[in-house]
Amino acid sequence: MKTIAFIINPISGAKGTQHAKHSLPELIMRTLDLNQWQPEIIYTEYAGHATELAQQFVQRGFDAVVSVGGDGTLNEVARGVRDTRTAIGILPMGSGNGFARHLHIPINIKAAIERLNYAQPTPIDYGLANDELFVSTCGAGFDAVIADHFASSTTRGFMTYLKNILGLAFTYHSESYHVVGEGIDETHKAFLVTIANANQWGYGALIAPRADLQDGQMDIMMMSRHAILGALPLAIRLFAGNIDRSPLMHTIRANDITLVRERKAPFHIDGSPATMPKDIRIRIVHGGLYVLA
């Protein structure tokens, strides 16, 4: 018998998702293979609580801790279990659910629970931005500004995300970024810089189509300052999975870099605003997490 904990964020995702979480314990108990798993279910009560709970389950020797929410909840759970053999499971009930989509975990929650019955613990990489953990992406520039606005929005979902993009895209000014690492010394004026461990932001938007969670590398995706001029072709490529082939994108692959910015400005970690200094060291920890996939 293996032990598994479900950490549920009751406020992540759209309103319909939040309502569904109230009946989730019953669905878990009905769908999970109870001959294999001994479950414990708990709800978070404040920001950072998921990390505390995950650490407690690790100390109690649990085999797996399941993040029930979005990428922000997953980030908190990952902070609690990183560098241990306790595996992360995912029930995607957030807004974009980018990391779950990368792993092909079903967005349908019943199907995602069923997947846990035969998923195996698999080692994957995670990233650190000035020692702040990220599992999916972090970044500077326009996507960090969007993350800042999205976090303060009273509604969630793709339409809110799109509304923020359309409202800010034509007033945002690109900045210069210097990327320094082993064999790397490049400066670019960019609309945005996304550092990707996983392949997407969420909603199926594949910002780093070739990103691999097990290669010990990050894909540093730099979008040209002329991005607005090619906005429609870029958007098509983003969802088609070939944005890296656009002449408006530049890709750098590395495992340890320093991102030097012109000034202290918005930055995001897994889609949530983060306070960072002007210079940020970003690196990949190879195989530092186990995920049920």
Side-chain angles (χ1 to χ4, degrees), residues 49-274:
H49 195 198
T51 299
E52 298 172 12
L53 293 170
Q55 289 171 336
Q56 292 169 16
F57 286 120
V58 168
Q59 291 167 2
R60 290 171 57 188
F62 268 60
D63 295 288
V65 177
V66 180
S67 168
V68 186
D71 287 344
T73 308
L74 175 63
N75 180 285
E76 288 194 15
V77 172
R79 290 170 188 260
V81 305
R82 67 176 179 174
D83 304 318
T84 75
R85 293 303 297 264
T86 299
I88 293 178
I90 303 170
L91 297 187
M93 298 188 77
S95 297
N97 300 309
F99 198 75
R101 292 176 191 271
H102 179 115
L103 291 170
H104 304 292
I105 291 172
I107 300 301
N108 177 279
I109 297 305
K110 186 175 186 295
I113 297 170
E114 289 172 344
R115 182 73 60 90
L116 295 173
N117 291 329
Y118 57 86
Q120 296 296 318
T122 304
I124 62 168
D125 307 334
Y126 69 83
L128 292 172
N130 279 359
D131 295 323
E132 293 291 328
L133 178 145
F134 67 95
V135 291
S136 193
T137 66
C138 65
F142 184 67
D143 60 337
V145 171
I146 292 299
D148 200 35
H149 279 255
F150 190 74
S152 60
S153 297
T154 56
T155 58
R156 288 291 183 265
F158 181 73
M159 292 309 297
T160 299
Y161 193 73
L162 183 61
K163 181 180 177 181
N164 280 315
I165 290 174
L166 296 176
L168 296 167
F170 295 97
T171 58
Y172 178 76
H173 298 288
S174 299
E175 298 192 19
S176 290
Y177 299 91
H178 188 194
V179 181
V180 184
E182 185 176 352
I184 302 168
D185 190 346
E186 301 183 20
T187 300
H188 299 271
K189 191 156 189 175
F191 187 68
L192 62 82
V193 180
T194 292
I195 296 91
N197 182 39
N199 63 12
Q200 65 175 276
W201 286 322
Y203 300 109
L206 298 164
I207 185 61
R210 316 305 154 202
D212 186 329
L213 290 170
Q214 295 179 303
D215 64 356
Q217 301 280 308
M218 54 187 153
D219 288 25
I220 302 141
M221 310 300 296
M222 309 187 79
M223 186 177 289
S224 168
R225 59 180 174 171
H226 303 298
I228 291 299
L229 299 178
L232 182 57
L234 278 174
I236 293 171
R237 285 184 176 274
L238 182 64
F239 288 94
N242 59 15
I243 195 170
D244 55 328
R245 298 174 189 168
S246 168
L248 295 175
M249 294 296 297
H250 177 66
T251 304
I252 303 170
R253 304 198 78 243
N255 60 15
D256 193 336
I257 59 111
T258 297
L259 181 68
V260 181
R261 303 183 288 170
E262 293 179 311
R263 60 187 178 89
K264 185 178 177 180
F267 193 82
H268 81 85
I269 290 180
D270 286 332
S272 297

